């Protein structure tokens, strides 16, 4: 099984790699440490309830209650940084732009440095579209996946 996720789903992709059934994961602009939430949410909205803002912006895409959004801030729940010591770097490839306004590049670069996870960084692009990344870098992603399958690239 291979997993690809972006932003909130990037955290899911990274955490899913802890499951032995997941062979490789690609995380695009992933939230790697929810410790950023308190200061970063102010960049997205002036709404004092981040949960209400997310529901208004994304509908049922995110079904977290206010209580569970607060749980993210605790640092243990759904937090790749909390599980950094368990990460197998060869299972994960990350993409991130230095000018991402929502997920700070520094947090992702630090996570990559601490875990040894491969980080493909781009100077520009903002909060990169996962569809765009997969289309633009599919050859590289496919080769990354194929190393798990034991096939030489291009076959």
């Amino acid at each position: 099984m291979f997993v690809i996720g972006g932003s909130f789903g990037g955290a899911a992709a990274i955490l899913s790699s802890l499951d032995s059934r997941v062979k490789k994961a690609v995380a695009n602009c992933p939230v790697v440490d929810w410790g950023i939430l308190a200061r970063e949410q102010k960049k997205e909205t002036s709404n004092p309830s981040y949960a209400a803002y997310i529901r208004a912006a994304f509908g049922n895409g995110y079904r977290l209650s206010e209580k569970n959004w607060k749980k993210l801030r605790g640092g243990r729940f759904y937090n790749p940084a909390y599980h950094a010591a368990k990460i197998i770097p060869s299972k994960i490839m990350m993409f991130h732009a230095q000018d991402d306004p929502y997920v700070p590049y520094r947090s992702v670069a630090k996570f990559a440095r601490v875990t040894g996870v491969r980080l493909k960084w781009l100077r520009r692009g903002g909060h990169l579209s996962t569809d765009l990344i997969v289309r633009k870098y599919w050859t590289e992603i496919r080769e990354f996946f194929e190393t798990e399958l034991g096939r030489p690239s291009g076959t």
Side-chain angles (χ1 to χ4, degrees):
M1 184 179 332
F2 301 110
V3 177
I4 299 174
S7 194
F8 195 100
I14 292 167
L15 292 170
S16 74
S17 77
L18 298 173
D19 186 315
S20 63
R21 295 171 294 179
V22 174
K23 302 305 178 195
K24 296 277 185 155
V26 172
N28 178 54
C29 296
V31 178
V32 294
D33 187 353
W34 286 99
I36 68 166
L37 188 58
R39 71 180 173 274
E40 294 302 317
Q41 74 183 36
K42 291 176 184 155
K43 293 179 183 176
E44 284 187 61
T45 182
S46 60
N47 189 329
S49 169
Y50 193 63
Y53 158 72
I54 292 294
R55 280 191 294 279
F58 299 102
N60 284 328
Y62 299 94
R63 286 168 267 201
L64 288 168
S65 65
E66 187 75 41
K67 175 185 169 190
N68 285 336
W69 277 106
K70 289 179 181 174
K71 196 173 172 182
L72 285 174
R73 290 190 180 106
R76 297 172 78 152
F77 174 69
Y78 191 67
N79 194 0
Y82 180 74
H83 298 281
K86 297 178 197 170
I87 296 293
I88 300 169
S90 62
K91 290 179 74 172
I92 303 168
M93 172 190 274
M94 297 188 301
F95 290 84
H96 203 84
Q98 284 185 312
D99 65 347
D100 186 325
Y102 305 117
V103 180
Y105 173 77
R106 285 188 314 272
S107 68
V108 178
K110 178 183 177 187
F111 181 80
R113 194 171 49 255
V114 167
T115 61
V117 167
R118 179 178 173 189
L119 171 60
K120 170 98 175 168
W121 66 271
L122 296 97
R123 189 169 305 281
R124 296 181 182 271
H127 198 60
L128 298 161
S129 157
T130 301
D131 178 63
L132 171 79
I133 290 299
V134 170
R135 289 175 189 272
K136 186 172 182 176
Y137 295 100
W138 177 246
T139 301
E140 198 170 332
I141 292 168
R142 186 186 69 226
E143 288 174 2
F144 172 68
F145 287 163
E146 287 177 347
T147 59
E148 175 58 35
L149 300 173
R151 295 191 308 222
S153 58
T155 59

